[in-house]
Every structure is written in structure tokens, then in C-alpha cells.
Amino acid sequence: MSVIIQLSPVTINRIAAGEVVERPASVVKELVENAIDAGADRIEVVTAGGGKTLIRIIDNGVGMTADDLSLAVERHCTSKLIEDDLLDIRTLGFRGEALPSIGSVADVRIETRHASEANGWAITVSGGSRSEIAPVGLSLGTRIEVRNLFFSTPARLKFLKSERAEAGAITDVVKRLALAHPEIRFSLSGSDRSSLDYPALAGGDFRGRALQIMGADFADNSIEIDALREGVRLTGLAGLGTLQKANAQSQYLFVNGRPVRDKLLIGAIRAGYADVMARDRFPAAVLFVDLDPHEVDVNVHPTKADVRFRDPGLVRGLLVGALRRAHADAGHRAASTHGAATLDVLEDAVRPTPATASSAWRTEYQSRPVAFDWRTAPDRPIPPEAPSPRGFAEEETSFDAGPTQGRFTVIDDAVSADARPGLVEAPAESVSRPLGAPRAQIHETYIVAQTVTGLVIIDQHAAHERLVYERLKREIAQGVETQMLLIPEIVDMPEEDVDRLIERAEELAELGLVVEGFGPGAVAIREIPALLGRTDTAALLRDIADDLAEWDQATRLREKLDAIAATMACHGSVRAGRRLRLEEMDALLREMEETPNSGQCNHGRPTFVELKLSDIERLFGRR
């Protein structure tokens, strides 16, 4: 008796269904892709019970004849392959597995009508058993109903998630396909969800479709991408670095119109945002990669979610380069969502209950002395002939950050805000600049600037950190100018950290940081990049040692230049708590306007928040 047996067609179909039909969302994906391939410009999706009890797809595509319908429910029957060429795939589906696989684990009814026939035709498939074809009244197109999914494989059914989670997965599938095809109208409804309707957009306006699906925040805070390299085209929208998400759900990637979740592309997006986003945050993006079908293999995954490129380095380089150029071209732009969030906080702060408001008013003003004389108040206006108060104009401690960094003054004063910097006015034309004219420094951390349309609040440390970082990157590319320390600084640290630094001493020297061993458990710093000026070199070295501990021994520092430069920039920038003169604040804002990526610091935090005058007036009831 033979040990090896031939599996029955029903078992074969159920095994195939396990690969193709993972969950209800997989059914929706396969059937909607068939509708798109059929030339439909209107697709309706209806679900119930998270897709477990009902999935209905209605389209106005070309439909099928009776003969085609009979073959459509058989395995490996398809109209989409040209002469069996798996290297020239120009449709979403091509294997001919979807309908028979779904029919083996659910109750399926298909109704369809082709323009060449006077009536439509219907067929049912239940648990792999098919019925005879019967005539049915139907308009042009196809209607497919899938009920009782996985009824024939109860083990698969119990591993499904809740109805809410499955409904959410279906929504995500429809959104991805709708983004790829803005020329098609998609509607999604059912008893398990809120209805969605995405009207067709003339000319395939993907920006308009992104607005429909991802909202105005993304549309207003994204950069249009259009790049071409050696026959590979990249188009789409990439969110600003300050438009950050907690997960990767807002990343929509397409290859030749096919939604994918390819690791190569996801990694390329991460690399493209490395300069402008923290490691634990994720960008929002809608990106389309189009290339010759012979240059990409889409037949490497059962659900076609992954692809394999003939030249993956070319595709990755295109994505990374295009994203970095787009961020550089965006200049000092930052997401407007931060300004909206700030206004929400302010509105909550100025919206007390009537009882609270009246009580606070009485407590504040009834406790004041009756005979209040503003002329003796500490914050009174200063006449022109009066001496300058101790503030921006008086230097107690200063540091020279080098010719390229500029000179910033540090003033140790208990006053946390001063809008009278030596009676020096910012240039009048500064108000019309994008970041405006500086008017005050608050808590020695934030610069308040006036623009034509409102005001801007700048985080001085975050902003200067980005400026130093960009200068460092330029210097590293051209050769870092170093500054020798008159007295080498000795830094004590664990021996394993010392060993890592000494092993990489030559590479660190290329970056302008010259170190050598100083006995067990200590390192001597002899030279530092001149651009950093006076900085806490001990803390800088310890941070670099921590970075080295995370990286593989085979990783060259040249491959991690951006990370090292970011660490140096953080230590070499103006700290919070340092008082700046008005002309220094103005110089900082002007340089921000000319520096790429200055809308966010090296860690992805925004460097400034803009508030429109109309919004401020609304806070005070003037509008």
C-alpha cells in the first residue's frame, strides 16, 4: 500500500484558501481587485459581522459570459495572463485562485452579465460544491455575495479577531485600493460600520483622493514627490517630518498600482526620514512606484503583499534620495497641526465655568491694593533717557561658538522673560519674513516673533540644534575643521566603553573628534570639531560610546554619520535657559529660513509653532 496519497480537490482548495484567504479582509481585497481588473468605475462593498457573515461586492465592470462564469470558479482559470508570461503582469490578479478558494470555505453566489448577452447568469459554490449555471436578471457588471466565511473550517473561524477589528481591516483594504485608483468610485457600508463614500476624481487626482481618505491635515502638511531614475518613477505625497504617527498605518505604498507592504520600501521610507524623525515615530506617506513589469516579481507572496525588485538598490536609492530632497526643499516648513494643538490648549485654558471665572476674578483683583500706581511697578515702561535694565544688553557670561555659529550671550538673571532688549529694535523688514521679527524671549527657552499674519513661538535649542546639525553634515562631507584643546579633557568611563572608543579612534578623528586612551577606564579628548565651540565634551563622548554599544562591530562610523552628527549637534547647540540678545534671535530666525529641514530638530520635534492672528483674536472673543 502506498504511503503517499493524492489529495482530493476539496482538500486542495481548502489548503489554497488557507494561503489566499487569511481573513475577511483578504476576501474583500481579492474580489475588489477583480472588479478593478474588469474595468469598473463604480465599486460597492457591503459587509456584516466584520465580514464573517456577509461580504457583498457590486461593480459595473465588463461582466462575464456563461462560459466564462463556469470556468471562473475552477482553479487556475484566468483571463489575465498573456501566453503564460509571469514576468509581464499588468493586472492585480493573475493566478485564478481567488473564487475557487473562497468558494471552498464559504457560501458564494455570483451573478454577472456581459454586454454581449441579453440576460445575466448566476452560480453558487458552497464548501467547494458548485451548482449549475442559471439565468438571472441583472444589469451590466458583477455581483458577488460571500456568506458564512470559514463555515467548513471551524478552526480558522475561531482564530479571527473581533467583528470590530475585522471590519477595521476591511476598511483599510478599501482605503488602500481607493488611493491607488482615484478614478473609481468606492463605497463601503454595512451594519457593522459607518458608511464611507469616495467619489471618483477626474484625471486620477491622487492628491484629492488623499484628502478624502487621510484628511486635510495630511493634504496640507505633505510634500509632492515626483522623481525618475533609470526607468523607475516615484510619485505621491510625503508628510512633513513634524507630521508624526505612533505606528506605520498611515504609510500607503503601491507598486504598479498594487498595494504592498514590502520591507524594502518600508525601510527606505525610514531611511528617508532618518534626519527629521525620532526612531520611535512613523511618517505618513502615499507613494507610488511605477516600473516595467519585467523589473519586478509580484508572484513571491500568496497574497501578493510583498514584491521582489530586479534591482532593489536602485529602487531604495530612489526613495531615500527623493524623500531627503523633498524635506530639504521644504526648508523651514513645519506641520500646521502643532499650531492647531496649541490653540486647543489655549481655548481650554480660557474657557472656565462661570462660577470658576467669577471666583478667580474676585480672588485675583480684590486682593490687590486699592492704591496701585503703575509708575512704581517693576514692569513699568522705561523712558528713553533711562539706563537700560539688566537684561539682554548686559553680558555676564558669554561663549564664542566659532565664526560659523555666531556669538550668543548667556545672562544669569532671575527674570524669566524680557521684551526690552536694550531698546534695540529688530529690522522692520523682518516682520514680513516667514518667521517674522523677534519680540521677546520667554523663560530663556522660547523666542516669540511677530509676523504679518500672527506670531511664531520658536524653541531656541531645537532650532539651533538643527542648524548645527546641517552645518556638521556639510563639514563632514568637505573635511571637518578641528579645534585643539589647550588642556586635554580626561573622561572616566567603563573599560568596555573605553575599548569601543579606542577601536574607533581613527574613524572618530575623521569626524573631528580626536581621542586616545589614558590608562584603564579613562579617555583623553585632544581635539573636537571647531563648529561645536564650548560644549560638554565629556557628556558628548559618553553619548557616542552609548551609540557604539548599540551598533554592530562591523558597522563603520561612516555609515552612521548622521547619528554621530546629530549627537554632536545636540551638545553643541544653544541650550534652553540661555538669554539671547535681540540681534542674535533675529540671526537665528534668518538662518532657520535658509536651512533645510529647520522645521524640526534632529529628534523630530517641531522647532516652532505658528499662531494666526485670526485664531488669537477668536480666543479673546474679537471674532
Side-chain angles (χ1 to χ4, degrees), residues 20-21 23-32 55 102 146 149:
V20 177
V21 186
R23 59 195 306 189
S26 304
V27 175
V28 173
K29 173 183 177 294
E30 296 291 341
L31 298 182
V32 172
I55 295 173
I102 297 169
V146 179
L149 186 61

Side-chain angles (χ1 to χ4, degrees), residues 110-357:
I110 305 173
E111 299 177 358
T112 184
R113 180 190 166 199
H114 192 270
S116 64
E117 299 189 330
N119 58 273
W121 300 93
I123 190 173
T124 60
V125 184
S126 180
S129 301
R130 53 174 289 179
S131 70
E132 294 295 326
I133 293 179
V136 66
L138 190 71
S139 58
L140 295 180
T142 301
R143 172 192 175 106
I144 301 179
E145 280 193 4
V146 179
R147 295 182 180 271
N148 306 318
L149 186 61
F150 297 129
F151 82 92
S152 61
T153 53
R156 295 291 303 277
L157 187 61
K158 70 179 183 180
F159 281 99
L160 293 181
K161 297 181 180 180
S162 66
E163 291 185 3
R164 184 184 184 91
E166 297 298 340
I170 291 173
T171 301
D172 184 66
V173 165
V174 173
K175 284 182 176 180
R176 290 180 185 276
L177 290 168
L179 277 168
H181 299 277
E183 75 282 359
I184 300 175
R185 176 175 182 173
F186 290 83
S187 66
L188 176 61
S189 61
S191 59
D192 56 350
R193 66 176 63 255
S194 300
S195 296
L196 297 175
D197 186 29
Y198 303 126
L201 298 174
D205 179 13
F206 69 86
R207 177 178 282 276
R209 181 54 57 88
L211 175 62
Q212 290 176 348
I213 293 177
M214 303 184 68
D217 284 345
F218 175 76
D220 294 341
N221 297 285
S222 59
I223 315 162
E224 191 158 343
I225 305 291
D226 192 346
L228 178 66
R229 182 184 298 178
E230 297 181 27
V232 182
R233 181 84 178 270
L234 176 67
T235 57
L237 297 171
L240 294 172
T242 47
L243 187 69
Q244 303 173 4
K245 304 293 181 180
N247 54 49
Q249 290 299 312
S250 294
Q251 294 177 13
Y252 297 90
L253 303 173
F254 306 90
V255 175
N256 288 346
R258 183 188 308 278
V260 297
R261 297 179 185 273
D262 188 72
K263 293 181 180 178
L264 172 76
L265 301 181
I266 293 173
I269 290 178
R270 170 62 70 184
Y273 278 85
D275 270 4
V276 296
M277 191 165 292
R279 297 177 184 176
D280 59 344
R281 305 297 290 176
F282 298 85
V286 180
L287 298 175
F288 302 86
V289 178
D290 294 292
L291 69 169
D292 188 324
H294 291 86
E295 299 298 318
V296 58
D297 186 358
V298 299
N299 194 29
V300 296
H301 191 275
T303 62
K304 303 182 282 288
D306 292 332
V307 296
R308 184 174 298 156
F309 296 100
R310 187 182 296 273
D311 189 348
L314 170 64
V315 177
R316 188 182 190 278
L318 174 63
L319 259 74
V320 175
L323 289 172
R324 289 183 175 176
R325 282 195 303 273
H327 291 133
D329 292 342
H332 67 277
R333 277 186 67 189
S336 60
T337 52
H338 297 292
T342 304
L343 286 170
D344 289 341
V345 173
L346 293 174
E347 286 177 344
D348 290 341
V350 300
R351 198 187 297 122
T353 61
T356 304

Side-chain angles (χ1 to χ4, degrees), residues 387-406:
S388 298
R390 182 180 176 185
F392 292 131
E394 180 178 346
E395 289 192 23
E396 283 193 357
T397 308
S398 66
F399 68 91
D400 191 355
T404 59
Q405 183 170 332

